Amino acid sequence: MATLARRLPGPRRLAAVAALALAAVAPGCDPVTPSVLFEHGSFEGFDVVSYVPDHPRGLVYLFHGSYGSADFATRVETVDTLNELIARGYGFVATESTERTGTKRWDVFDPSLATNPDLARLTRLQAHLVATTPVEAGTPLVGLGMSNGARFVSLWGETWAGASYPVRAIAMVMGTIAPPVTAAGGLDVPTFFVTAENDVTSPPGPIIADHAATAARGTPTDLIVAREQPLTAARFLRIPGIDADEATAVVDALVATGAWAAAGQRLVPVDEAVARAQAVTLPPAVRPEASEIGNQVALVLAVHQMRGDVKVPVAEFFDRNR
């Protein structure tokens, strides 16, 4: 149906490039919960989580990473980002990769809207949304993906824009450009790159290089390199259901592993800190939140993880290019 049709860069694509560094900042102390009611449903047998306002300023397509699902939309850091976008008038839709029995990854190698099962189903989902919600055919589309979802959002953005869908911008968190996009010359869709200084799953070097190549192409692009942060109790207060005493107990348990000093500084190499954190004995009351606690520790260490602390620059980038 559609392949990677190239589009000539216009004046809008020649905007100045801003490279940003995300410094260590104190997280907010309030629990992160959805600002609106998310709808949970399905389309063609695949789970869908979504929210569409009456008059959407734009629609965010959200793509999970390996072993993920549509519930990626309900994780603390994703919710934080979506809340910012929803406050600016955007709706969103999250579904899941067609491959559901192995690594649960999006197909990042086939650029055809006809033969790539993920791209093909998403075109049908878009038609369904236009037919059944306030989303219109001309509603601006933006994409946000994490890890394998970051690679996929680059393929989605380029193929859909090449097929005349109104894709305006994408954000790639902890992932590199999909191979077919690179092979076709690079990104024409305005792209925000997010990486982290200690990520070994998708190291920052290739992502920084992708950003540089995108800028050299004349495509609007920004870059954030997230830095390591000190371990604090405030970090865990972002998780709904964890109170101040429990957050302090989580920090105490992590400090007891020997990976951090009481003041929050890391004492061992990053990979060892990751291993010790994974083996930590958490207080019984917070064990149901072990997954989200692990996600927060990953943010502290600046390793491979979705980040809500980039929400404002990402949303502003989407607004500028919408």
Side-chain angles (χ1 to χ4, degrees):
M1 211 169 133
T3 55
L4 287 174
R6 308 318 308 174
R7 290 167 296 129
L8 293 176
R12 193 164 156 271
R13 297 179 182 278
L14 299 177
V17 174
L20 308 174
L22 189 67
V25 293
C29 295
D30 295 326
V32 177
T33 58
S35 58
V36 297
L37 182 64
F38 291 180
E39 181 176 343
H40 293 254
S42 65
F43 177 74
E44 296 186 357
F46 293 88
D47 289 344
V48 174
V49 180
S50 64
Y51 166 74
V52 179
D54 289 339
H55 304 286
R57 184 183 189 190
L59 182 70
V60 182
Y61 271 80
L62 184 67
F63 302 112
H64 63 75
S66 299
Y67 300 101
S69 69
D71 282 345
F72 174 59
T74 67
R75 287 167 41 180
V76 167
E77 298 303 308
T78 315
V79 168
D80 197 15
T81 302
L82 290 174
N83 283 347
E84 177 68 28
L85 290 162
I86 288 166
R88 293 169 183 255
Y90 292 84
F92 81 89
V93 60
T95 185
E96 53 198 7
S97 58
T98 304
E99 201 285 292
R100 292 281 91 203
T101 59
T103 55
K104 299 180 181 179
R105 291 177 176 169
W106 303 95
D107 183 345
V108 300
F109 298 105
D110 181 358
S112 169
L113 300 191
T115 59
N116 182 316
D118 294 318
L119 292 173
R121 176 162 48 89
L122 288 166
T123 63
R124 297 191 296 273
L125 176 58
Q126 172 70 5
H128 173 74
L129 291 170
V130 170
T132 61
T133 76
V135 174
E136 299 177 352
T139 298
L141 305 178
V142 295
L144 172 63
M146 164 67 194
S147 192
N148 166 252
R151 301 193 94 188
F152 184 73
V153 79
S154 70
L155 184 66
W156 170 86
E158 287 294 305
T159 56
W160 275 38
S164 298
Y165 286 90
V167 176
R168 300 292 186 253
I170 61 173
M172 299 174 56
V173 181
M174 313 294 163
T176 53
I177 299 171
V181 178
T182 300
L187 285 162
D188 288 324
V189 173
T191 303
F192 198 115
F193 294 89
V194 180
T195 185
E197 63 179 342
N198 296 327
D199 190 355
V200 296
T201 303
S202 186
I207 295 172
I208 293 170
D210 278 351
H211 168 258
T214 303
R217 188 172 175 80
T219 300
T221 182
D222 282 338
L223 168 69
I224 278 181
V225 180
R227 306 301 183 191
E228 188 171 350
Q229 304 174 5
L231 182 68
T232 66
R235 168 59 61 189
F236 303 102
L237 290 175
R238 292 172 61 76
I239 303 172
I242 292 184
D243 62 25
D245 289 340
E246 290 166 338
T248 298
V250 170
V251 171
D252 290 343
L254 291 164
V255 169
T257 68
W260 285 271
Q265 292 82 17
R266 175 169 53 87
L267 300 175
V268 299
V270 171
D271 56 350
E272 187 173 343
V274 170
R276 293 190 189 190
Q278 290 173 341
V280 68
T281 300
L282 291 170
V286 300
R287 287 176 190 168
E289 305 302 332
S291 177
E292 286 288 9
I293 289 170
N295 292 344
Q296 295 302 314
V297 174
L299 295 178
V300 167
L301 291 171
V303 294
H304 197 71
Q305 187 56 243
M306 177 64 185
R307 309 191 63 94
D309 49 10
V310 302
K311 62 184 179 182
V312 172
V314 167
E316 289 176 347
F317 184 83
F318 285 169
D319 284 348
R320 287 199 305 272
N321 291 285
R322 188 183 62 83

